Amino acid sequence: MQIKETANEGLKRAYTVTIPAKDIDERVTSEVKKIAPQVKMPGFRPGKVPANLVRKMHGEQVHAQAVNDMIRESVDKVMADNKLRPAMQPKVELDEGYEEGKDVSLSVDVEILPEIEAPEVDGLELERLIVPVTNEQVDEAVERIASNNKSYKDAAKTKKAGDGDQLIIDFVGSIDGVEFEGGKAENTPLVIGSGQFIPGFEEQLTGVKTGDKKTITVTFPEDYPAENLKGKNAQFDVTVQQVKVPTDTAIDDEFAKNLGLENLDKLKELLRGQLEQETSGLTRTQMKRQLLDTLAAGHDFPVPQGMVDAEFEQIWAQLQQEAAQSDDAEAMLKEMEDEKDDYRKIAERRVRLGLLLSEIGQKNGVEVNANEMNMLIQQAAQQYRAEDRERFVQYVQQDPMAAAQLRAPLYEDKVVDFLFDKAEITDREVTREELEAAIEAEESTDEKPKKKAAAKKKPAAKKAPAKKAADKAADEKPAAKKAPAKKAAAKKPAAKKADGGEKDPAKKPAAKKAPAKKAAPKK
């Protein structure tokens, strides 16, 4: 085997490899001898088929496998002999015109990881912004829960229903006079103004009284989950069984018991813990931002462009998804194009931080142990159907790249925690608004796109500045240092699809709700 370096520039390396035909032939001969005892052929006893006949029958398959194995071994030898640390999977190309009996010539292109001098971790100084949880905040949280768990009492029969009142109704839905499946219900509660039912349904019931009957006409939205109802006009014959009015909810031990808790003090204790957990998460975000900005400012080494390209593609794909949900996707995409260079700088920063954190972790013995890795794999497997979980576990165990991607977030958190432990931390009490402002603050101009006037967008789909979309404080995920990966032996199992069926066509698709015990103020 002959190996020749053809390029050595920055982090890029290129080699040509020649595998002599005689070496390939020797490998094929050796493999034929191994399989000959298992080959069966009419007229020969088991294990007695001549090698030349075995080669004639299976030579093409054995030859192809031998060439593939020797190419893989040659690439491994290139890496080992030159002490290379590949940043990503090497690019290997077989020269055109190869035929059996000729030497194999191939080119190997690879980007390597830079040599990084891990910084000393002693002497780091960080400020921790702390938001104390007050009794007033806890009381406000309790009141919000009470307002979302209203009680209702029967109103006088002459009472006309208005916003906030609850109706108990029976209804039968039909399209062109034909009742459709699932369009009938009895004793269904409906709060006018809640937006629980499809557009136009609740509004037409404003002003009804107990005992009233009314036929209303509505149009199902074009994006309604049931295919047979999308965009259709429907009539609902509604009978109002009762009009109810809200009553003041007494915030006491009985209220807490209805939520599954022992008493009101336990409810307040639970909510205080949730508020503290929420603000401590923001505090960690703020501290991690400081840490990453400090590391980024003190290190500027070359990074593999292949890793930057991969990171940029992830950022770009996320932004494109957000643009697709905006009112003016065309204007948003144009704005993204104007800021494309800035997003690429963010990708480069994330890769550099990922490599730096990895180097710090390795130097200081930070690791994700086998038990932690198994837990990560099992947790990730839960998103798949039961019959696919074992296949997913095998996929991760066999594919180094998949394992590295799964391991990266936990490893990063462990390195960050290690650095927090080493840092000199001073505490300062602030308000929540001040903490959030600190997180949002643009502390370094070279890592975030310049703000430009954006096209009008839906609030929920508004494009976040780059610091949100790609470099969001502690939510920013520095690209992890990854091991070179072999091609996956099995495809990743398809994610389990949610059931889109609707039990009650009159109702909007419901959002997933938290259990009553975990009721908390809206973030």
Side-chain angles (χ1 to χ4, degrees), residues 370-418:
N371 287 338
E372 291 170 332
M373 192 65 199
N374 286 334
M375 287 181 64
L376 286 175
I377 294 173
Q378 294 302 325
Q379 288 171 359
Q382 295 307 308
Q383 68 180 299
Y384 300 104
R385 297 173 300 181
E387 58 269 28
D388 288 333
R389 289 172 189 167
E390 183 59 34
R391 192 153 60 94
F392 171 78
V393 171
Q394 293 175 358
Y395 165 76
V396 174
Q397 290 173 341
Q398 294 170 359
D399 191 317
M401 185 69 77
Q405 290 174 340
L406 194 60
R407 168 184 175 274
L410 177 59
Y411 185 78
E412 175 197 324
D413 282 341
K414 295 189 76 168
V415 175
V416 168
D417 286 336
F418 167 78

Side-chain angles (χ1 to χ4, degrees), residues 417-429:
D417 286 336
F418 167 78
L419 292 172
F420 283 168
D421 289 340
K422 290 286 187 179
E424 295 179 14
I425 298 175
T426 56
D427 292 339
R428 179 163 64 93
E429 286 192 6

Side-chain angles (χ1 to χ4, degrees), residues 289 437-445 448-451 465-467:
R289 180 173 193 83
I439 293 172
E440 295 295 327
E442 296 188 356
E443 298 178 5
S444 49
T445 57
K448 304 171 183 72
K450 297 175 183 178
K451 293 198 172 186
K467 62 179 167 46

Side-chain angles (χ1 to χ4, degrees), residues 134-370:
T134 64
N135 292 334
E136 290 76 12
Q137 289 173 315
V138 175
D139 290 340
E140 288 175 3
V142 174
E143 289 172 4
R144 280 195 293 269
I145 294 176
S147 68
N148 291 328
N149 289 271
K150 290 181 179 178
S151 299
Y152 296 87
K153 65 179 181 180
D154 292 348
K157 291 186 178 181
T158 55
K159 160 70 176 173
K160 293 183 178 181
D163 278 355
D165 292 337
Q166 185 187 63
L167 305 179
I168 305 300
I169 60 175
D170 300 340
F171 60 83
V172 178
S174 61
I175 296 176
D176 296 331
V178 179
E179 183 178 336
F180 55 85
E181 184 179 357
K184 183 177 181 179
E186 296 180 351
N187 296 318
T188 300
L190 167 62
V191 176
I192 295 180
S194 64
Q196 179 184 1
F197 278 36
I198 59 177
F201 195 102
E202 297 169 19
E203 292 84 345
Q204 295 180 59
L205 293 176
T206 300
V208 298
K209 303 186 296 296
T210 297
D212 282 356
K213 294 184 178 181
K214 187 170 185 178
T215 298
I216 61 178
T217 300
V218 294
T219 301
F220 281 95
E222 292 293 341
D223 60 352
Y224 196 76
E227 288 292 336
N228 62 318
L229 299 178
K230 285 183 178 180
K232 296 288 184 66
N233 293 325
Q235 294 75 42
F236 285 89
D237 295 324
V238 181
T239 300
V240 182
Q241 299 291 357
Q242 184 65 56
V243 176
K244 293 176 175 282
V245 292
T247 61
D248 292 333
T249 301
I251 299 177
D252 52 19
D253 289 344
E254 192 62 31
F255 169 68
K257 288 177 181 178
N258 289 335
L259 296 174
L261 297 168
E262 185 178 339
N263 52 41
L264 183 59
D265 287 341
K266 288 293 183 183
L267 174 60
K268 290 184 176 181
E269 181 183 332
L270 174 66
L271 291 173
R272 182 179 294 277
Q274 290 179 343
L275 289 170
E276 288 174 346
Q277 184 178 16
E278 185 178 334
T279 55
S280 66
L282 292 174
T283 295
R284 178 183 170 84
T285 295
Q286 170 262 333
M287 283 183 63
K288 185 175 178 182
R289 180 173 193 83
Q290 285 185 71
L291 176 64
L292 295 181
D293 283 348
T294 299
L295 292 175
H299 298 84
D300 185 19
F301 50 82
V303 293
Q305 284 306 302
M307 294 183 72
V308 174
D309 291 342
E311 197 68 30
F312 172 77
E313 290 302 322
Q314 289 188 10
I315 294 171
W316 200 248
Q318 178 185 344
L319 293 173
Q320 287 178 319
Q321 288 179 354
E322 293 174 0
Q325 297 172 2
S326 69
D327 280 344
D328 193 343
E330 184 176 349
M332 188 170 175
L333 288 170
K334 182 181 183 303
E335 184 182 6
M336 286 165 51
E337 287 291 340
D338 292 341
E339 298 176 342
K340 200 166 188 175
D341 289 343
D342 295 313
Y343 288 118
R344 183 167 286 279
K345 288 179 182 177
I346 292 172
E348 182 175 325
R349 165 188 158 99
R350 291 173 67 174
V351 170
R352 185 174 288 110
L353 282 170
L355 294 173
L356 187 57
L357 288 174
S358 178
E359 202 69 26
I360 292 171
Q362 289 184 29
K363 180 179 179 180
N364 293 280
V366 178
E367 61 180 22
V368 174
N369 61 43

